[in-house]
Amino acid sequence: MNDINTAMPLSSNSSLNALYPILRRAGLVQVLSIQELSGGLSNHNYKIITPTASYVLRVNTGAASRFCNREQECFYWQQLADIKLAPQLLWVSEDNRYYLSEFIESDNVIYWPALECQTRAADFVQGQFVLGQAGLRQSKLDSLFPSVSSHSSDDSDLHNSGLHNSGLHHSDADSQALLGPTKISKHPNQAHDLLLALLLQLRSLPTGPYHISVTAQWQSYHQQMLAYQASAALKNRATLSQHDEVTDKPIHTCEWNERVAKLLGIQMDIKNWSNCLAACLIKPQFCHRDLNPHNLLFKNNHLYCIDFEYASASHPLCELAVVLATHRLTPAQQTLLVDGYLKQHPNVTADAVQAVPAAIDMYWVFACYWALLMAGQAQSSHNIDYLAWFDRFWPLITPNN
């Protein structure tokens, strides 16, 4: 998750000086300045300014590298760069730790990271209910979230549902303007149009040699989590044996295990969501799988993707779910985006809209797993930061609302 629009000076001269040998290896000898770019939960990015051009140097952390295939990442990055959907990847170090790429200066017309929000599956369904979509679709969504559709649409119920806080709420005037069938196709903020254009381009790309299903991703994350838990328990027992006395476990280990228990408690829900997605799948397609606002650049009325750590052939709804879960879109914009994306989609069944809430829930489930795995692998000074991300993601999963 990176925002390469905002730069700030490096925090220390030692960090800055350490980059110069790397830049020389990449062929950059005359470097005028280096600026650290804000954002990035698992990797670090720097803007490199030379007399002739600007670049981005990305430094991959060891913790993140344990959960992604760097060759796979570069494969898809290059594929999208070839069709102008990503910055050009100019150099990769032999150990895949450093990437040098083209720097794209985002336009100020829409500052894309400002569109960031966190939307639950229930928020999405509630928004569609308020908007009053066609009865067939609504009945299918009602069957998944009957408690949501049972709310009245007065303002107090909207507030209690969390719609105000999610950024999906309209004023009464806005809602009335959007409800009309002749007006639903227009909206002053065209973010949904740009996102739809990008999604349609991405779904037509070759899948490449890499593939992972929703179920396989869940099982992979889950097994890694259990393996780390077992390893940590062995280390704790060994420490107790060496000291021959009972001591308290490290605080972060106890807190980590508490969060593991939360995920273990919703395994049946996760299985149901995974099965729901599998039922509507015809075949996998290329998916970036992390199209949150910080991984998109806006320039010349065009969106570019960055950060391909999780790119793979996978379930088509994974792509849609990330956008819905992380972008501040109105219910009308969400409807236009979902309808446009699923219309005659060749890779999912005609009733795939039923699985959209499950796809959103699985996105937040994977985010929780990611936070725990990063907390387990990161340096101790950063463990608490990743646990805080888990605490931010956890309430977004449906059983906890």
Side-chain angles (χ1 to χ4, degrees):
M1 300 179 183
N2 304 301
D3 173 12
I4 74 168
N5 296 282
T6 305
M8 53 187 174
L10 281 169
S11 56
S12 68
N13 289 330
S14 60
S15 297
L16 182 149
N17 292 333
L19 296 179
Y20 282 99
I22 299 164
L23 294 172
R24 285 194 290 271
R25 287 163 53 192
L28 300 184
V29 178
Q30 291 183 296
V31 176
L32 300 180
S33 69
I34 302 175
Q35 296 173 317
E36 188 172 5
L37 297 167
S38 65
L41 296 180
S42 55
N43 300 299
H44 305 287
N45 296 272
Y46 304 91
K47 181 180 180 182
I48 313 299
I49 300 177
T50 73
T52 57
S54 295
Y55 306 91
V56 173
L57 178 71
R58 189 174 111 183
V59 181
N60 297 320
T61 64
S65 295
R66 292 184 180 93
F67 309 120
C68 70
N69 181 329
R70 295 299 181 190
E71 291 183 359
Q72 178 176 338
E73 177 186 19
C74 292
F75 173 86
Y76 286 115
W77 186 341
Q78 192 61 61
Q79 179 171 281
L80 267 71
D82 289 343
I83 58 173
K84 309 301 182 185
L85 289 181
Q88 291 296 317
L89 180 59
L90 304 172
W91 175 78
V92 178
S93 65
E94 297 83 356
D95 58 0
N96 292 314
R97 186 179 179 188
Y98 305 102
Y99 299 157
L100 186 72
S101 64
E102 169 191 16
F103 177 80
I104 295 179
E105 187 76 51
S106 295
D107 290 342
N108 293 325
V109 177
I110 302 178
Y111 179 59
W112 212 264
L115 295 176
E116 182 184 17
C117 76
Q118 295 178 333
T119 302
R120 304 169 302 160
D123 292 331
F124 167 73
V125 177
Q126 175 74 79
Q128 299 305 294
F129 177 76
V130 173
L131 195 60
Q133 284 302 289
L136 178 61
R137 171 189 287 188
Q138 193 56 50
S139 65
K140 292 177 179 178
L141 291 175
D142 288 350
S143 67
L144 295 172
F145 285 89
S147 61
V148 172
S149 59
S150 65
H151 289 306
S152 65
S153 59
D154 62 42
D155 191 61
S156 62
D157 282 335
L158 288 177
H159 182 80
N160 292 334
S161 72
L163 208 55
H164 284 288
N165 295 332
S166 70
L168 299 178
H169 179 61
H170 300 291
S171 68
D172 291 340
D174 289 340
S175 297
Q176 290 301 318
L178 290 169
L179 286 174
T182 61
K183 295 183 179 180
I184 195 172
S185 63
K186 297 184 182 297
H187 192 276
N189 173 359
Q190 296 302 309
H192 61 287
D193 285 336
L194 293 164
L195 289 165
L196 177 58
L198 175 64
L199 291 180
L200 293 179
Q201 286 178 285
L202 294 178
R203 85 178 191 189
S204 65
L205 294 178
T207 56
Y210 305 98
H211 168 262
I212 190 164
S213 68
V214 173
T215 299
Q217 183 68 83
W218 161 39
Q219 293 174 343
S220 174
Y221 278 162
H222 192 73
Q223 291 304 314
Q224 289 178 71
M225 181 185 73
L226 294 180
Y228 176 80
Q229 186 180 42
S231 175
L234 286 173
K235 290 180 181 178
N236 285 334
R237 283 197 291 270
T239 300
L240 292 175
S241 176
Q242 290 172 3
H243 291 284
D244 196 28
E245 61 182 14
V246 178
T247 59
D248 292 333
K249 294 180 181 179
I251 294 177
H252 70 83
T253 301
C254 295
E255 293 180 344
W256 191 87
N257 283 327
E258 289 173 1
R259 289 159 176 82
V260 169
K262 290 183 176 183
L263 279 178
L264 293 177
I266 63 165
Q267 291 302 297
M268 186 55 66
D269 294 298
I270 297 175
K271 181 179 180 181
N272 291 338
W273 294 326
S274 180
N275 289 343
C276 179
L277 288 165
C280 71
L281 177 65
I282 295 177
K283 64 178 181 179
Q285 67 175 47
F286 166 77
C287 295
H288 179 283
R289 296 205 303 155
D290 197 14
L291 292 176
N292 71 76
H294 292 283
N295 286 338
L296 293 171
L297 306 175
F298 177 70
K299 186 173 182 63
N300 297 330
N301 207 37
H302 178 79
L303 287 175
Y304 296 84
C305 306
I306 61 173
D307 196 348
F308 297 89
E309 287 185 317
Y310 306 104
S312 178
S314 193
H315 198 296
L317 290 187
C318 291
E319 209 76 316
L320 181 63
V322 180
V323 172
L324 293 172
T326 62
H327 280 77
R328 191 178 303 278
L329 301 174
T330 67
Q333 288 178 300
Q334 291 177 333
T335 296
L336 293 169
L337 183 62
V338 171
D339 286 350
Y341 183 69
L342 294 181
K343 183 179 180 180
Q344 298 179 337
H345 198 302
N347 301 325
V348 292
T349 59
D351 61 351
V353 68
Q354 297 181 65
V356 171
I360 294 173
D361 271 316
M362 287 303 295
Y363 174 73
W364 294 123
V365 165
F366 289 155
C368 286
Y369 271 112
W370 171 86
L372 282 184
L373 291 172
M374 289 296 293
Q377 297 292 338
Q379 296 178 355
S380 58
S381 59
H382 296 298
N383 285 339
I384 194 66
D385 295 330
Y386 288 113
L387 293 180
W389 278 104
F390 177 97
D391 294 340
R392 183 177 176 181
F393 298 144
W394 175 251
L396 301 169
I397 302 173
T398 293
N400 309 289
N401 297 322

